[in-house]
Amino acid sequence: MKKIPKSYLQKRVAVTWVDPTGHIGSDLSEVDLAECVSEGILVAMDDEKLILQTSIYTGSKCGDYTCIHPSLVRQVRNL
C-alpha cells in the first residue's frame, strides 16, 4: 500500500486491512487472514501503527479505538 497522506489525519476514513487470526483445533485449509473494514477518525499514525477512533465519550478522550499495523493495511479511503 502507498503511504497514507497526512491530510487524512483527523478525518473520517475507511481502512481495509487483514486481521491476523488464531485457530485452535482447525484444519490447515481453514487458516487464513481475515479481511476487515474499520471506519473511524484517523487520530494518529506513524511507522508502527494507525489509530482509528471509532467512538468517544462526550467531553472526554476516553472511548473505543482500533490500532492497526501499517503492513496489514490494503487501502485507506476518505469518507
Side-chain angles (χ1 to χ4, degrees), residues 8-78:
Y8 283 23
L9 277 170
Q10 304 307 319
K11 300 284 195 296
R12 189 162 175 263
V13 297
V15 180
T16 303
W17 59 291
V18 288
D19 191 3
T21 58
H23 297 265
I24 299 170
S26 299
D27 188 88
L28 177 59
S29 64
E30 298 170 356
V31 178
D32 204 352
L33 298 169
E35 186 171 278
C36 300
V37 177
S38 296
E39 293 184 11
I41 298 170
L42 182 60
V43 294
M45 69 176 173
D46 59 29
D47 292 340
E48 296 294 317
K49 63 192 172 297
L50 302 179
I51 300 177
L52 291 178
Q53 176 187 60
T54 56
S55 67
I56 193 164
Y57 295 103
T58 303
S60 171
K61 289 191 177 186
C62 292
D64 298 325
Y65 297 87
T66 300
C67 185
I68 306 167
H69 193 278
S71 68
L72 300 173
V73 174
R74 291 191 172 158
Q75 180 183 36
V76 179
R77 290 184 300 113
N78 243 335

